[in-house]
Each structure stands twice: as structure tokens, then as C-alpha cells.
Amino acid sequence: MKITFPHMGNSYIALSALTGSLGAEVIVPPRPTRQTIDLGALHAPEFVCLPFKVNMGDNIRALEMGSDTLAMVSGMWACRFGYYGRLQHQILRDAGYEFDSILLGRDDLRVVYNKFRSTAKGNLTLAWARAFRLFRLKAITVDCIETRARAVMPFEKERGTTTRKMKEGLSMVHAASSIDEVKKARASAVDLLDNIDLEKTGEKPLQIAIVGEIYTVLEPAINFDIERRLGEKGILVHPVMSVYKWLFRPLKVDPSITVSERRARKIAKPYVPYVLGGEEHQTITGTIDASRKGYDGVIHLYPFTCMPENICRSILPKLESKYDMPLLNLCLDEHASPTGIETRLEAFVDLLKQRRKKPHAPS
Ligand code: SF4
């Protein structure tokens, strides 16, 4: 089995560990680029949301690299994510590609379990247990390294060092093939980040929460590497979602994720009383939390035509005035440009700096 899955931030590290430990050969497509989006857009319905097009492009690139099995996580809620896997795979088959499908969240779990019967070594249940342990540890480790890098980047002396060291650390984790190796890789990665030369200005950095649709929050190729851009401007960034939360939310094995989901729904209920299928509750609650935690601003990322986040888009201005929290909405589609995003970020950061200098009267 030559398995692949679309990119979503650094989730490929954990997903490669899971499927690789089950004996599959993992084919990771190159990180999404303009070419990936164009390739996906060519085969996708015009008004489907941007992540669908990018995922399609990733799948095509992986199929061209020799992959014969496409894995995809499917949503079960109201938004289009519930149809992504099936629809993408149908379009690709109509375009002449031949492959097997694994649709997590839609297929009966027994079907997914049995797909690896011929690839896993020894007892299948034990192989799944080992694979799941490695999968979880790698997802937690990725989260830990990303969080550490975010905390260090605004203070680095030489711009770009944290990004370089983080990549180095993440590749060590990706290459690790056992629990012990992952633990060692994590220690080395954290060590690399902890030994970066820092500038001590004594100034309190600006803090910005990033809320919105999960793919645009987590995938740097689509959000124009917004975390790095802000971090290198000396800003502490707090995304409300992470690869770990995304991977483990549907599995319900981590009570802390379930508790924070329930909390988000409760706080957002006066604004969004229903489940829309995306990250609407985290977007609303993340914005309110940003104000409670004393952050300086909120950036809302969402794909053009995203149903749940367009609903949030109409609610967030109310929160902006109620909580006196500056908000920047960034709508992303295949026509967004790095220059346009950079200009808006610079203007937003300037505004936040001015607010810091001149304390304002709350509205
Ligand atoms: S959350 Fe938005 S972008 Fe994601 S699948 Fe649903 S509608 Fe599309």
C-alpha cells in the first residue's frame, strides 16, 4: 500500500507515523504551492471552498508520485467538509486516476482497521495499538515544538533562526520511528529552541489571537505563513487550534479537548446556538477569550465561501465593539497575494502599536 493524505500544517508527521507503523509506504506530497492550488482548482467546482482545491492538488501530486491509496478525514457535520473525501475521490476517478480510498470518519471503522491487515506485521490489534501510541506522541510533540517556537520567535536576535531550528527539530521528530526516538528528538528540538540567542528589550510584546477556519489557521502555505510573519515582527501569536486538537477532537480520547469544545459552545451559544460544522464556536469564544486574556488584537482567517466562518464574519464586528478588541478579517482564496496580506498585517500591527502608546477610552 502506498498511502497519502493531503497536507494540513505539520499533521503529516503524525499521520505518517500512524500509517507507516501499520506497514504502509507513506508518500507525502510536496508542501502546497501556487501550482498545487492551480492543479486542484482545475478539477474542483468553482465555488467550493479553498481547502477543497488545495487538498485536490495535494492528492493529484501524490498520485503522480505513485500513491495508490488516498486517505482523507471526513467531517460528519453540516458544512462541506463532510463531503470532501467522497467528492474529491469521485472527481479524481472520473479524471482517470485509479486508487483505493480510506475515508476516516465516514467509513465503518472496521473497514479502516482491516485495510492494514495485509501490511501490518504480526498481530493487527497490537500493530494498531503501537501505531496509535506513536501517532499520538508525535502529534503532541509537534504541538510542543510549535508552541515553544511561537514563544521564542518574537525575541530572536537574528530573524529566521527560530524557523530554521523549528524545521530542524520537526524533521528529527518525523524521522524518529520509535517512542524512545521521538522522546529524544523532542528533547533535542526543545534544546535547539531554548538555545537561540534572544534580544532582551524589556518591552512587553504585542499579543494576537488567531481564530477562524482550521485549515487556514494551520496551513502556512495558505495563510502565507502568518505565524512566522507576525512572530518576526516581534508579536506573540496564539492560534486557537492546533494539529493535535484537530487530529484528536473526533477521536474523543483526550478529555481536555472535549471540555474545551463544550466550553467554547457554551460561551458562543448566545451568538451561534447551532453546530454549523466548522470552527464557529472556537472563533467566537477565541475572540472573547482574547479580550479576557488582555491580548492586543484578533486575526480572523477564513476561506472565501466558507459557510460557518462567513456567519462568524457577520458576528465578529459586534464582539469587536463590545469587547473593544481590534479585529482583522482575512478572507483567503486562490487569488490572495502575499503582498496584499503583508500590507494588511503591517497596517494592523501599526494600529495595535498606536493603541499601546495611547491608552484609549473603552467604547
Ligand atoms: S469549514 Fe468552511 S472551508 Fe472548511 S469545509 Fe466547511 S465550509 Fe469549507
Side-chain angles (χ1 to χ4, degrees), residues 61-130:
R61 295 185 111 187
L63 285 167
E64 286 168 357
M65 287 164 73
S67 178
D68 60 19
T69 305
L70 301 189
M72 180 72 192
V73 178
S74 274
M76 283 168 275
W77 300 105
C79 89
R80 282 173 273 193
F81 188 54
Y83 301 102
Y84 264 34
R86 279 208 200 295
L87 191 55
Q88 285 171 347
H89 292 189
Q90 187 57 51
I91 292 172
L92 290 169
R93 287 198 176 98
D94 289 348
Y97 292 101
E98 286 178 11
F99 55 90
D100 194 11
S101 296
I102 296 182
L103 296 171
L104 287 164
R106 283 269 159 173
D107 281 348
D108 184 337
L109 273 182
R110 277 169 303 182
V111 176
V112 178
Y113 175 86
N114 283 320
K115 287 261 183 199
F116 294 90
R117 198 166 278 288
S118 58
T119 58
K121 282 196 196 111
N123 180 295
L124 185 58
T125 310
L126 288 179
W128 265 103
R130 274 195 302 271

Side-chain angles (χ1 to χ4, degrees), residues 305-339:
T305 80
C306 171
M307 182 269 283
E309 294 302 329
N310 273 296
I311 292 176
C312 291
R313 172 74 181 83
S314 63
I315 298 167
L316 289 178
K318 287 192 196 93
L319 300 181
E320 184 182 17
S321 15
K322 182 171 175 189
Y323 292 95
D324 191 29
M325 172 56 63
L327 170 74
L328 173 66
N329 299 105
L330 290 178
C331 174
L332 301 168
D333 67 7
E334 59 266 46
H335 307 295
S337 79
T339 321

